[in-house]
Amino acid sequence: QVQLVESGGGLVQAGGSLRLSCAASGRSFTSAAMAWFRQTPGKEREFVVGIGRTGGTWYGESAKGRFSISRDNAKMMVYLEMSSLKPEDTATYYCAASRYPSSSDEQHYDYWGPGTQVTVSS
């Protein structure tokens, strides 16, 4: 099993940057693919970006060119670096872990953190 806790959310102005962190615990972390999703009220959860156990990445359309993901297996951490933020990036951001190697389907993610709120003001 994997337990996940996100941090680093907050209020930022449009055009600014923010780094989210996801602290993981559990023996399965190093073998899991990790991803960030986001969700706003009334909308479906959206895939943002994922990273495989050896560092390969895959991006959702909203993240290309602005966001990057990284992981530190020794520290059991996953990071989401966000830049050039826009008001439409406002959402609750979730860290998730999957047994699948490179999925963007939330149904393939078994473990989720509670989320961290990101608000981008215009």
PDB file of all heavy atoms in Angstrom, residues 60-83:
ATOM      1  N   GLY A  60      -0.538  15.718 -19.532  1.00  0.00           N
ATOM      2  CA  GLY A  60      -1.827  16.131 -20.037  1.00  0.00           C
ATOM      3  C   GLY A  60      -1.677  17.433 -20.802  1.00  0.00           C
ATOM      4  O   GLY A  60      -0.685  18.154 -20.633  1.00  0.00           O
ATOM      5  N   GLU A  61      -2.657  17.735 -21.623  1.00  0.00           N
ATOM      6  CA  GLU A  61      -2.554  18.920 -22.476  1.00  0.00           C
ATOM      7  C   GLU A  61      -2.385  20.198 -21.670  1.00  0.00           C
ATOM      8  O   GLU A  61      -1.648  21.101 -22.067  1.00  0.00           O
ATOM      9  CB  GLU A  61      -3.793  19.026 -23.364  1.00  0.00           C
ATOM     10  CG  GLU A  61      -3.823  18.039 -24.520  1.00  0.00           C
ATOM     11  CD  GLU A  61      -2.637  18.209 -25.444  1.00  0.00           C
ATOM     12  OE1 GLU A  61      -2.290  19.377 -25.750  1.00  0.00           O
ATOM     13  OE2 GLU A  61      -2.044  17.201 -25.859  1.00  0.00           O
ATOM     14  N   SER A  62      -3.041  20.279 -20.542  1.00  0.00           N
ATOM     15  CA  SER A  62      -3.000  21.518 -19.759  1.00  0.00           C
ATOM     16  C   SER A  62      -1.622  21.779 -19.150  1.00  0.00           C
ATOM     17  O   SER A  62      -1.314  22.911 -18.786  1.00  0.00           O
ATOM     18  CB  SER A  62      -4.041  21.459 -18.651  1.00  0.00           C
ATOM     19  OG  SER A  62      -3.744  20.396 -17.752  1.00  0.00           O
ATOM     20  N   ALA A  63      -0.808  20.744 -19.054  1.00  0.00           N
ATOM     21  CA  ALA A  63       0.474  20.873 -18.366  1.00  0.00           C
ATOM     22  C   ALA A  63       1.660  21.062 -19.307  1.00  0.00           C
ATOM     23  O   ALA A  63       2.731  21.491 -18.868  1.00  0.00           O
ATOM     24  CB  ALA A  63       0.727  19.636 -17.506  1.00  0.00           C
ATOM     25  N   LYS A  64       1.486  20.748 -20.551  1.00  0.00           N
ATOM     26  CA  LYS A  64       2.613  20.782 -21.486  1.00  0.00           C
ATOM     27  C   LYS A  64       3.222  22.174 -21.577  1.00  0.00           C
ATOM     28  O   LYS A  64       2.538  23.161 -21.785  1.00  0.00           O
ATOM     29  CB  LYS A  64       2.166  20.310 -22.869  1.00  0.00           C
ATOM     30  CG  LYS A  64       1.855  18.827 -22.920  1.00  0.00           C
ATOM     31  CD  LYS A  64       1.401  18.397 -24.304  1.00  0.00           C
ATOM     32  CE  LYS A  64       1.079  16.905 -24.350  1.00  0.00           C
ATOM     33  NZ  LYS A  64       0.568  16.481 -25.668  1.00  0.00           N
ATOM     34  N   GLY A  65       4.530  22.234 -21.391  1.00  0.00           N
ATOM     35  CA  GLY A  65       5.256  23.484 -21.507  1.00  0.00           C
ATOM     36  C   GLY A  65       5.243  24.354 -20.269  1.00  0.00           C
ATOM     37  O   GLY A  65       5.984  25.333 -20.194  1.00  0.00           O
ATOM     38  N   ARG A  66       4.419  24.021 -19.276  1.00  0.00           N
ATOM     39  CA  ARG A  66       4.334  24.880 -18.083  1.00  0.00           C
ATOM     40  C   ARG A  66       4.625  24.122 -16.795  1.00  0.00           C
ATOM     41  O   ARG A  66       5.085  24.704 -15.821  1.00  0.00           O
ATOM     42  CB  ARG A  66       2.953  25.519 -17.998  1.00  0.00           C
ATOM     43  CG  ARG A  66       2.600  26.416 -19.165  1.00  0.00           C
ATOM     44  CD  ARG A  66       1.305  27.172 -18.907  1.00  0.00           C
ATOM     45  NE  ARG A  66       0.177  26.269 -18.708  1.00  0.00           N
ATOM     46  CZ  ARG A  66      -0.619  26.304 -17.651  1.00  0.00           C
ATOM     47  NH1 ARG A  66      -0.416  27.198 -16.697  1.00  0.00           N
ATOM     48  NH2 ARG A  66      -1.638  25.456 -17.555  1.00  0.00           N
ATOM     49  N   PHE A  67       4.283  22.856 -16.772  1.00  0.00           N
ATOM     50  CA  PHE A  67       4.433  22.053 -15.549  1.00  0.00           C
ATOM     51  C   PHE A  67       5.489  20.979 -15.755  1.00  0.00           C
ATOM     52  O   PHE A  67       5.706  20.514 -16.881  1.00  0.00           O
ATOM     53  CB  PHE A  67       3.119  21.369 -15.194  1.00  0.00           C
ATOM     54  CG  PHE A  67       1.975  22.287 -14.840  1.00  0.00           C
ATOM     55  CD1 PHE A  67       2.107  23.653 -14.840  1.00  0.00           C
ATOM     56  CD2 PHE A  67       0.749  21.736 -14.509  1.00  0.00           C
ATOM     57  CE1 PHE A  67       1.037  24.481 -14.516  1.00  0.00           C
ATOM     58  CE2 PHE A  67      -0.339  22.545 -14.181  1.00  0.00           C
ATOM     59  CZ  PHE A  67      -0.184  23.921 -14.192  1.00  0.00           C
ATOM     60  N   SER A  68       6.116  20.588 -14.673  1.00  0.00           N
ATOM     61  CA  SER A  68       7.021  19.443 -14.736  1.00  0.00           C
ATOM     62  C   SER A  68       6.900  18.629 -13.458  1.00  0.00           C
ATOM     63  O   SER A  68       6.602  19.167 -12.392  1.00  0.00           O
ATOM     64  CB  SER A  68       8.468  19.891 -14.954  1.00  0.00           C
ATOM     65  OG  SER A  68       8.927  20.615 -13.836  1.00  0.00           O
ATOM     66  N   ILE A  69       7.138  17.345 -13.598  1.00  0.00           N
ATOM     67  CA  ILE A  69       7.032  16.430 -12.470  1.00  0.00           C
ATOM     68  C   ILE A  69       8.382  15.779 -12.233  1.00  0.00           C
ATOM     69  O   ILE A  69       9.160  15.549 -13.175  1.00  0.00           O
ATOM     70  CB  ILE A  69       5.945  15.364 -12.744  1.00  0.00           C
ATOM     71  CG1 ILE A  69       5.688  14.504 -11.508  1.00  0.00           C
ATOM     72  CG2 ILE A  69       6.324  14.500 -13.944  1.00  0.00           C
ATOM     73  CD1 ILE A  69       4.484  13.566 -11.662  1.00  0.00           C
ATOM     74  N   SER A  70       8.657  15.503 -10.993  1.00  0.00           N
ATOM     75  CA  SER A  70       9.872  14.778 -10.646  1.00  0.00           C
ATOM     76  C   SER A  70       9.601  13.926  -9.416  1.00  0.00           C
ATOM     77  O   SER A  70       8.609  14.129  -8.716  1.00  0.00           O
ATOM     78  CB  SER A  70      11.031  15.743 -10.381  1.00  0.00           C
ATOM     79  OG  SER A  70      10.735  16.605  -9.304  1.00  0.00           O
ATOM     80  N   ARG A  71      10.470  12.979  -9.182  1.00  0.00           N
ATOM     81  CA  ARG A  71      10.323  12.142  -7.999  1.00  0.00           C
ATOM     82  C   ARG A  71      11.702  11.847  -7.415  1.00  0.00           C
ATOM     83  O   ARG A  71      12.699  11.787  -8.139  1.00  0.00           O
ATOM     84  CB  ARG A  71       9.591  10.841  -8.320  1.00  0.00           C
ATOM     85  CG  ARG A  71      10.332   9.873  -9.220  1.00  0.00           C
ATOM     86  CD  ARG A  71       9.435   8.703  -9.645  1.00  0.00           C
ATOM     87  NE  ARG A  71       9.056   7.835  -8.554  1.00  0.00           N
ATOM     88  CZ  ARG A  71       8.102   6.902  -8.633  1.00  0.00           C
ATOM     89  NH1 ARG A  71       7.416   6.765  -9.765  1.00  0.00           N
ATOM     90  NH2 ARG A  71       7.821   6.135  -7.596  1.00  0.00           N
ATOM     91  N   ASP A  72      11.712  11.680  -6.127  1.00  0.00           N
ATOM     92  CA  ASP A  72      12.921  11.308  -5.400  1.00  0.00           C
ATOM     93  C   ASP A  72      12.580  10.036  -4.642  1.00  0.00           C
ATOM     94  O   ASP A  72      11.939  10.092  -3.582  1.00  0.00           O
ATOM     95  CB  ASP A  72      13.343  12.433  -4.453  1.00  0.00           C
ATOM     96  CG  ASP A  72      14.657  12.159  -3.764  1.00  0.00           C
ATOM     97  OD1 ASP A  72      14.982  10.975  -3.539  1.00  0.00           O
ATOM     98  OD2 ASP A  72      15.366  13.121  -3.429  1.00  0.00           O
ATOM     99  N   ASN A  73      12.969   8.908  -5.196  1.00  0.00           N
ATOM    100  CA  ASN A  73      12.595   7.637  -4.582  1.00  0.00           C
ATOM    101  C   ASN A  73      13.240   7.455  -3.203  1.00  0.00           C
ATOM    102  O   ASN A  73      12.654   6.825  -2.324  1.00  0.00           O
ATOM    103  CB  ASN A  73      12.955   6.482  -5.496  1.00  0.00           C
ATOM    104  CG  ASN A  73      12.005   6.371  -6.691  1.00  0.00           C
ATOM    105  OD1 ASN A  73      10.894   6.876  -6.667  1.00  0.00           O
ATOM    106  ND2 ASN A  73      12.476   5.714  -7.745  1.00  0.00           N
ATOM    107  N   ALA A  74      14.437   7.999  -3.027  1.00  0.00           N
ATOM    108  CA  ALA A  74      15.110   7.858  -1.729  1.00  0.00           C
ATOM    109  C   ALA A  74      14.349   8.601  -0.634  1.00  0.00           C
ATOM    110  O   ALA A  74      14.258   8.129   0.502  1.00  0.00           O
ATOM    111  CB  ALA A  74      16.533   8.368  -1.823  1.00  0.00           C
ATOM    112  N   LYS A  75      13.793   9.748  -0.988  1.00  0.00           N
ATOM    113  CA  LYS A  75      13.033  10.540  -0.021  1.00  0.00           C
ATOM    114  C   LYS A  75      11.548  10.225  -0.069  1.00  0.00           C
ATOM    115  O   LYS A  75      10.782  10.755   0.729  1.00  0.00           O
ATOM    116  CB  LYS A  75      13.244  12.031  -0.278  1.00  0.00           C
ATOM    117  CG  LYS A  75      14.665  12.506  -0.049  1.00  0.00           C
ATOM    118  CD  LYS A  75      14.779  14.001  -0.296  1.00  0.00           C
ATOM    119  CE  LYS A  75      16.201  14.491  -0.037  1.00  0.00           C
ATOM    120  NZ  LYS A  75      16.324  15.950  -0.279  1.00  0.00           N
ATOM    121  N   MET A  76      11.152   9.400  -1.027  1.00  0.00           N
ATOM    122  CA  MET A  76       9.746   9.050  -1.214  1.00  0.00           C
ATOM    123  C   MET A  76       8.896  10.295  -1.417  1.00  0.00           C
ATOM    124  O   MET A  76       7.879  10.485  -0.744  1.00  0.00           O
ATOM    125  CB  MET A  76       9.243   8.184  -0.053  1.00  0.00           C
ATOM    126  CG  MET A  76      10.020   6.879   0.068  1.00  0.00           C
ATOM    127  SD  MET A  76       9.385   5.756   1.325  1.00  0.00           S
ATOM    128  CE  MET A  76       7.843   5.262   0.596  1.00  0.00           C
ATOM    129  N   MET A  77       9.344  11.116  -2.347  1.00  0.00           N
ATOM    130  CA  MET A  77       8.672  12.369  -2.646  1.00  0.00           C
ATOM    131  C   MET A  77       8.404  12.485  -4.141  1.00  0.00           C
ATOM    132  O   MET A  77       9.190  11.993  -4.962  1.00  0.00           O
ATOM    133  CB  MET A  77       9.521  13.559  -2.201  1.00  0.00           C
ATOM    134  CG  MET A  77       9.759  13.654  -0.714  1.00  0.00           C
ATOM    135  SD  MET A  77       8.277  14.068   0.239  1.00  0.00           S
ATOM    136  CE  MET A  77       7.936  15.718  -0.387  1.00  0.00           C
ATOM    137  N   VAL A  78       7.317  13.155  -4.455  1.00  0.00           N
ATOM    138  CA  VAL A  78       6.995  13.525  -5.830  1.00  0.00           C
ATOM    139  C   VAL A  78       6.715  15.020  -5.835  1.00  0.00           C
ATOM    140  O   VAL A  78       6.088  15.540  -4.900  1.00  0.00           O
ATOM    141  CB  VAL A  78       5.772  12.755  -6.354  1.00  0.00           C
ATOM    142  CG1 VAL A  78       5.465  13.155  -7.794  1.00  0.00           C
ATOM    143  CG2 VAL A  78       6.006  11.257  -6.260  1.00  0.00           C
ATOM    144  N   TYR A  79       7.165  15.696  -6.867  1.00  0.00           N
ATOM    145  CA  TYR A  79       7.020  17.144  -6.945  1.00  0.00           C
ATOM    146  C   TYR A  79       6.323  17.544  -8.237  1.00  0.00           C
ATOM    147  O   TYR A  79       6.498  16.906  -9.276  1.00  0.00           O
ATOM    148  CB  TYR A  79       8.390  17.812  -6.887  1.00  0.00           C
ATOM    149  CG  TYR A  79       9.205  17.425  -5.679  1.00  0.00           C
ATOM    150  CD1 TYR A  79      10.204  16.462  -5.765  1.00  0.00           C
ATOM    151  CD2 TYR A  79       8.961  18.012  -4.446  1.00  0.00           C
ATOM    152  CE1 TYR A  79      10.941  16.088  -4.661  1.00  0.00           C
ATOM    153  CE2 TYR A  79       9.705  17.645  -3.326  1.00  0.00           C
ATOM    154  CZ  TYR A  79      10.683  16.686  -3.445  1.00  0.00           C
ATOM    155  OH  TYR A  79      11.419  16.322  -2.336  1.00  0.00           O
ATOM    156  N   LEU A  80       5.585  18.616  -8.147  1.00  0.00           N
ATOM    157  CA  LEU A  80       4.975  19.218  -9.329  1.00  0.00           C
ATOM    158  C   LEU A  80       5.386  20.681  -9.354  1.00  0.00           C
ATOM    159  O   LEU A  80       4.992  21.448  -8.484  1.00  0.00           O
ATOM    160  CB  LEU A  80       3.453  19.094  -9.282  1.00  0.00           C
ATOM    161  CG  LEU A  80       2.704  19.758 -10.441  1.00  0.00           C
ATOM    162  CD1 LEU A  80       3.073  19.105 -11.771  1.00  0.00           C
ATOM    163  CD2 LEU A  80       1.187  19.694 -10.221  1.00  0.00           C
ATOM    164  N   GLU A  81       6.200  21.014 -10.344  1.00  0.00           N
ATOM    165  CA  GLU A  81       6.614  22.391 -10.545  1.00  0.00           C
ATOM    166  C   GLU A  81       5.679  23.030 -11.558  1.00  0.00           C
ATOM    167  O   GLU A  81       5.556  22.542 -12.679  1.00  0.00           O
ATOM    168  CB  GLU A  81       8.060  22.447 -11.059  1.00  0.00           C
ATOM    169  CG  GLU A  81       9.091  21.868 -10.126  1.00  0.00           C
ATOM    170  CD  GLU A  81       9.565  22.873  -9.083  1.00  0.00           C
ATOM    171  OE1 GLU A  81       9.092  24.021  -9.101  1.00  0.00           O
ATOM    172  OE2 GLU A  81      10.419  22.489  -8.256  1.00  0.00           O
ATOM    173  N   MET A  82       5.037  24.106 -11.149  1.00  0.00           N
ATOM    174  CA  MET A  82       4.089  24.781 -12.021  1.00  0.00           C
ATOM    175  C   MET A  82       4.557  26.215 -12.263  1.00  0.00           C
ATOM    176  O   MET A  82       4.905  26.923 -11.315  1.00  0.00           O
ATOM    177  CB  MET A  82       2.690  24.792 -11.396  1.00  0.00           C
ATOM    178  CG  MET A  82       2.173  23.402 -11.049  1.00  0.00           C
ATOM    179  SD  MET A  82       0.467  23.416 -10.447  1.00  0.00           S
ATOM    180  CE  MET A  82       0.694  24.253  -8.873  1.00  0.00           C
ATOM    181  N   SER A  83       4.550  26.628 -13.494  1.00  0.00           N
ATOM    182  CA  SER A  83       4.950  27.978 -13.840  1.00  0.00           C
ATOM    183  C   SER A  83       3.942  28.571 -14.821  1.00  0.00           C
ATOM    184  O   SER A  83       3.098  27.851 -15.366  1.00  0.00           O
ATOM    185  CB  SER A  83       6.352  27.995 -14.445  1.00  0.00           C
ATOM    186  OG  SER A  83       6.380  27.236 -15.647  1.00  0.00           O
TER     187      SER A  83
END
